[in-house]
Amino acid sequence: GTKVVLQAALGVNHGVFLVEGGEVYSIGHLSSKNGSKNAHKPGPVLEKNVIGQRVASVAAGSFHSGAVTVDGIAYMWGENSAGQCAVASKSQVSEPTPVNISDPETSPPQLIRVLQLACGEQHTLALSVRREVWAWGSGCQLGLVTNVFPVIRPQKVEHLAGRIVLQVACGAHHSLALVQRLQPQEVKSIPEKCNQCHQLLITMMDKEDHVIISDNHYCPLGVALMETKSKRDTQSPNHTSLASEEVHLSKSTVAGAVDTNGQTEEHDPDAAPTEAGDTTGNEQLNSQRTSETVNGTRPRNSPYPDEEAVKEYFKKLSDQSHGENNCRNSGFAPVQDGTEPDPASPTVGSALNNLVVSCASAVGVKVAATYEAGALSLRKVMNYYSCSPQSG
């Protein structure tokens, strides 16, 4: 009876038909069946080896044929002189023979299911369900990294690895693979010159018989701008913290200090500074000292007097100096520390005290103790010279 043909494929002198029900028929010069390329079969020949295999598609090369079942198994028959039917030690394959396609990279080797076949004159391509291309036969049209032919065992075309292959096709001595287009990627334009120094970012240099291309660009101007910007963003002047640090340092560096009663308190310069056991407590103490310094007053536990106390103390010194001068003018010359006094100008002590007062007011409490100690020493020296009896 008549059957509906679902697909047809033609070679040089033969043809293959896929009819409904999954049956395959061959027509034309069937050299593999009749023993000669000039042999001719008068009618279609049913391929019995694929009966019941539910063939889904057929393909034809110049002198060989192939079929693929719904289970992904490939069958080949016909001319095999170049290994195009993937059967070893046979130049002709008379009946459809299954082709073993397995991936040797897996353990154990995994069977590859075929989706489509394409046949040339001396080679065959298979498209797997993974969208990979496998090839066997002879010739560079296989696309394999080898020069040993024939290739009997199917091998994967590594040049198409990573690409999604949609279809394969074969000519007599060439092949084609239709792949899915890659998704367009956003390409960022690379500037040719630096935005800061306007120098080329990529340079080329000819050196003997080769060219050196370098993309190492160092921009001093750009680095300087970035460092300045980062410093400006992360740092801001904190006068309060600086004042706290100065007050803290002055406490450990001054050798002697004067308390509010005018007495000198000697400090051991070799003594180790007090260790901060609690960073937060020190910060609060420094902040408190800073706020009191800004307001013009000193903390109660500070060894240094405030500005008003310093002024009052030096005023007393000045008054005392005036009294001594009056005493000397009246003929009384007190002698201190058992030393013999010498004559001196009556205005030296007052001018010195005024100078010390002005220096202490200008510099502040940080050096008040130092100037006070110096004033006491100088006052003793001047008294030594100024309070000596006048020689006739």
Side-chain angles (χ1 to χ4, degrees), residues 193-211:
K193 295 183 178 181
C194 176
N195 294 331
Q196 304 296 340
C197 64
H198 303 288
Q199 295 181 359
L200 293 176
L201 297 177
I202 301 177
T203 58
M204 288 192 306
M205 180 178 63
D206 293 335
K207 187 175 181 180
E208 296 179 354
D209 59 342
H210 58 279
V211 177

Side-chain angles (χ1 to χ4, degrees), residues 126-181:
L127 177 63
S128 70
V129 295
R130 298 180 180 178
R131 300 296 174 174
E132 300 170 338
V133 179
W134 296 77
W136 59 92
S138 300
C140 61
Q141 59 269 30
L142 296 177
L144 302 177
V145 187
T146 182
N147 54 2
V148 179
F149 304 108
V151 176
I152 302 298
R153 185 174 182 177
Q155 297 184 17
K156 182 166 60 176
V157 180
E158 298 293 346
H159 289 292
L160 296 174
R163 304 300 298 269
I164 300 177
V165 183
L166 304 177
Q167 182 184 356
V168 290
C170 292
H173 303 284
H174 59 290
S175 304
L176 179 143
L178 181 64
V179 300
Q180 185 177 13
R181 183 173 59 181

Side-chain angles (χ1 to χ4, degrees), residues 56-70:
S57 64
V58 292
S62 297
F63 306 103
H64 69 291
S65 304
V68 179
T69 66
V70 294

Side-chain angles (χ1 to χ4, degrees), residues 194 196-199 217-228:
C194 176
Q196 304 296 340
C197 64
H198 303 288
Q199 295 181 359
H217 174 70
Y218 175 76
C219 177
L221 180 59
V223 172
L225 290 177
M226 291 176 62
E227 291 179 352
T228 303

Side-chain angles (χ1 to χ4, degrees), residues 34-69:
N34 300 319
S36 175
K37 291 185 179 180
N38 297 325
H40 176 71
K41 194 75 176 178
V45 176
L46 177 63
E47 302 295 344
K48 298 180 180 180
N49 281 11
V50 292
I51 294 177
Q53 300 298 328
R54 299 181 299 168
V55 177
S57 64
V58 292
S62 297
F63 306 103
H64 69 291
S65 304
V68 179
T69 66

Side-chain angles (χ1 to χ4, degrees), residues 3-129:
K3 294 185 179 180
V4 178
V5 177
L6 302 178
Q7 183 185 4
L10 300 177
V12 175
N13 296 315
H14 78 289
V16 183
F17 298 98
L18 173 62
V19 300
E20 59 181 356
E23 295 179 346
V24 178
Y25 288 84
S26 300
I27 61 171
H29 294 273
L30 305 177
S31 57
S32 60
K33 296 183 180 300
N34 300 319
S36 175
K37 291 185 179 180
N38 297 325
H40 176 71
K41 194 75 176 178
V45 176
L46 177 63
E47 302 295 344
K48 298 180 180 180
N49 281 11
V50 292
I51 294 177
Q53 300 298 328
R54 299 181 299 168
V55 177
S57 64
V58 292
S62 297
F63 306 103
H64 69 291
S65 304
V68 179
T69 66
V70 294
D71 296 328
I73 300 176
Y75 287 82
M76 303 296 301
W77 67 98
E79 176 73 30
N80 189 47
S81 58
Q84 57 265 54
C85 288
V87 178
S89 304
K90 287 186 178 181
S91 60
Q92 299 287 335
V93 180
S94 58
E95 300 294 335
T97 304
V99 178
N100 182 18
I101 305 176
S102 59
D103 189 356
E105 296 180 358
T106 61
S107 180
Q110 186 177 2
L111 183 65
I112 301 300
R113 295 176 57 191
V114 178
L115 187 63
Q116 178 201 351
L117 282 177
C119 302
E121 183 169 328
Q122 295 182 341
H123 71 291
T124 303
L125 299 181
L127 177 63
S128 70
V129 295

Side-chain angles (χ1 to χ4, degrees), residues 250 253-259 263-264 298 302-311 313-314 317 355-376:
S250 65
T253 55
V254 175
V258 179
D259 59 8
Q263 298 179 356
T264 303
R298 300 298 300 166
S302 174
Y304 309 110
D306 56 13
E307 185 177 353
E308 296 297 331
V310 172
K311 290 183 179 180
Y313 177 75
F314 282 110
L317 290 179
L355 176 62
V356 172
V357 171
S358 62
C359 290
S361 300
V363 177
V365 298
K366 186 171 68 174
V367 294
T370 303
Y371 278 105
E372 189 275 337
L376 292 177

